[in-house]
């Protein structure tokens, strides 16, 4: 079979969702509504945090950056889905595909680090409140967030450089609704060693971030159960459950995409997993971290009164 370098390809074809016309209309409306809720929710979160002095703390600094990352990553991927439902030709130019891989990977890796930082912030605030202001000073928080973006950018560029060096057969059909490095690697006919390195380098960030979240919450729950009142236990456990829900959905599904064997051909399962971490979590995060938070509700009440 003829081998093609990515630069020889004019575009990649995206299969998207291949259901019947009625289902596609329903999905069009669902994804359009989801995107609008995502934009309004995350923009509202950023604006509220910036406008409310009582929310100028490390936790809300991390949450504001998480909202920004969700806003950007969703804008890169989600708007293309309603467009594909109304277009007969579901494809993207090679340059656009590469750009989508870079940006989505950049914000995806950054989000993993931010979720780990939020868990660490909870741990320090609950288990070590006396040294919390010193450890998570404004300078330290800025450095942590800046480092997250730099690591995300480095990983995204590394994945993209590796992907552009892959060879493909004559087929350029990506069985997904956006350009992601995982289906591109699966589509590639290059040496399996390179493919393995690319998959491994993409998954280590998610594994490391998940471990930080898990260890932090084990320590939080242990300290809470032994020292807090019933009301305090309920509040802390509710906060932990909310954060763990986000981590489980985002990191779990993204790691599933990275670590799933190429021989497994259940692409519909891949699409459902991709929808969870690219579309659902950016919409849910403002609801999980803002509307269920009493401090955010109080800040919103003060601004509106």
């Amino acid at each position: 079979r003829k081998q093609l370098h990515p630069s020889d390809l004019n575009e990649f074809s995206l299969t998207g969702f291949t259901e019947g016309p009625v289902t596609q209309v329903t999905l069009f409306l669902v994804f359009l509504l989801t995107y609008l809720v995502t934009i309004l929710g995350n923009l509202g979160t950023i604006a509220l945090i910036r406008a409310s002095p009582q929310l100028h703390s490390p936790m809300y600094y991390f949450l504001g950056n998480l909202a920004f990352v969700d806003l950007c990553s969703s804008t890169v991927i989600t708007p293309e889905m309603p467009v594909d439902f109304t277009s007969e030709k579901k494809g993207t130019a090679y340059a656009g595909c590469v750009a989508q891989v870079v940006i989505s990977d950049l914000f995806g890796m950054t989000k993993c680090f931010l979720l780990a930082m939020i868990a660490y912030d909870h741990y320090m605030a609950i288990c070590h409140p006396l040294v919390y202001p010193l450890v998570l000073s404004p300078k330290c928080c800025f450095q942590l967030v800046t480092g997250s973006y730099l690591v995300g950018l480095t990983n995204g560029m590394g994945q993209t450089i590796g992907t552009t060096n892959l060879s493909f057969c004559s087929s350029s059909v990506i069985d997904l609704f956006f350009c992601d490095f995982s289906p591109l690697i699966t589509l590639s006919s290059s040496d399996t060693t390179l493919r393995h390195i690319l998959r491994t380098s993409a998954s280590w960030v998610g594994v490391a971030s998940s471990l930080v979240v898990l260890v932090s919450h084990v320590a939080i729950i242990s300290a809470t159960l032994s020292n807090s009142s019933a009301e305090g236990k309920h509040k802390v456990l509710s906060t932990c459950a909310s954060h763990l829900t986000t981590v489980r959905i985002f990191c779990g599904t993204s790691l599933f995409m990275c670590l799933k064997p190429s021989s497994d051909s259940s692409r519909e399962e891949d699409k459902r997993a991709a929808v969870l971490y690219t579309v659902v979590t950016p919409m849910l995060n403002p609801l999980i971290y803002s509307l269920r938070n009493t401090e955010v509700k109080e800040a919103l009440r003060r601004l509106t009164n």
Side-chain angles (χ1 to χ4, degrees):
R1 300 176 67 182
K2 183 181 179 181
Q3 304 293 310
L4 297 176
H5 190 269
S7 59
D8 298 326
L9 296 172
N10 293 322
E11 67 175 13
F12 288 98
S13 299
L14 304 174
T15 60
F17 296 89
T18 57
E19 288 83 356
V22 175
T23 305
Q24 289 203 347
V25 170
T26 303
L27 290 175
F28 171 84
L29 295 174
V30 168
F31 285 123
L32 180 60
L33 179 61
T34 299
Y35 180 62
L36 292 176
V37 172
T38 301
I39 295 298
L40 293 175
N42 286 290
L43 280 177
T45 299
I46 295 171
L48 182 62
I49 290 174
R50 291 180 63 87
S52 304
Q54 66 267 38
L55 299 183
H56 292 176
S57 64
M59 181 180 74
Y60 294 105
Y61 179 65
F62 294 141
L63 288 178
N65 279 276
L66 179 65
F68 173 74
V69 167
D70 281 335
L71 183 67
C72 294
S73 61
S74 181
T75 300
V76 170
I77 296 173
T78 308
E80 188 174 341
M81 299 166 68
V83 173
D84 285 344
F85 287 131
T86 60
S87 175
E88 293 183 3
K89 185 179 180 181
K90 298 178 175 62
T92 182
Y94 167 71
C97 190
V98 171
Q100 195 172 55
V101 170
V102 174
I103 298 173
S104 61
D105 203 46
L106 186 163
F107 289 117
M109 296 300 105
T110 303
K111 185 172 181 176
C112 285
F113 276 94
L114 288 174
L115 290 172
M117 288 177 200
I118 293 171
Y120 182 67
D121 173 86
H122 292 163
Y123 164 74
M124 290 300 302
I126 294 171
C127 299
H128 302 284
L130 296 180
V131 297
Y132 174 76
L134 297 176
V135 175
L136 289 174
S137 63
K139 180 180 179 180
C140 179
C141 291
F142 174 79
Q143 291 173 339
L144 288 172
V145 170
T146 302
S148 298
Y149 285 109
L150 290 176
V151 171
L153 178 61
T154 301
N155 188 78
M157 293 301 297
Q159 295 291 340
T160 303
I161 292 172
T163 301
T164 55
N165 288 324
L166 297 174
S167 297
F168 297 87
C169 297
S170 55
S171 172
S172 60
V173 178
I174 299 175
D175 197 6
L176 202 61
F177 54 87
F178 71 103
C179 287
D180 190 25
F181 72 89
S182 184
L184 283 175
I185 293 173
T186 302
L187 188 65
S188 168
S189 58
S190 295
D191 180 70
T192 56
T193 302
L194 176 59
R195 295 165 65 179
H196 178 71
I197 293 174
L198 289 172
R199 285 181 183 272
T200 303
S201 63
S203 61
W204 77 266
V205 174
V207 172
S209 301
S210 299
L211 286 175
V212 171
V213 172
L214 181 62
V215 171
S216 297
H217 281 84
V218 168
I220 290 171
I221 293 172
S222 177
T224 301
L225 293 178
S226 59
N227 298 321
S228 298
S229 63
E231 183 180 353
K233 291 176 183 178
H234 179 269
K235 182 178 179 180
V236 171
L237 293 177
S238 177
T239 301
C240 290
S242 299
H243 188 58
L244 288 173
T245 298
T246 298
V247 174
R248 184 171 65 250
I249 295 175
F250 178 75
C251 293
T253 52
S254 56
L255 283 173
F256 167 81
M257 291 288 288
C258 289
L259 300 176
K260 184 179 179 181
S262 302
S263 57
D264 194 333
S265 59
S266 179
R267 302 307 299 175
E268 291 303 318
E269 193 176 46
D270 290 358
K271 292 176 186 178
R272 288 193 292 270
V275 166
L276 285 176
Y277 76 83
T278 61
V279 179
V280 175
T281 53
M283 179 191 68
L284 289 181
N285 283 342
L287 304 177
I288 291 174
Y289 293 112
S290 299
L291 296 183
R292 298 181 72 253
N293 189 305
T294 55
E295 290 181 336
V296 172
K297 291 179 182 178
E298 178 63 21
L300 183 60
R301 187 188 63 81
R302 291 183 181 181
L303 288 178
T304 53
N305 289 341

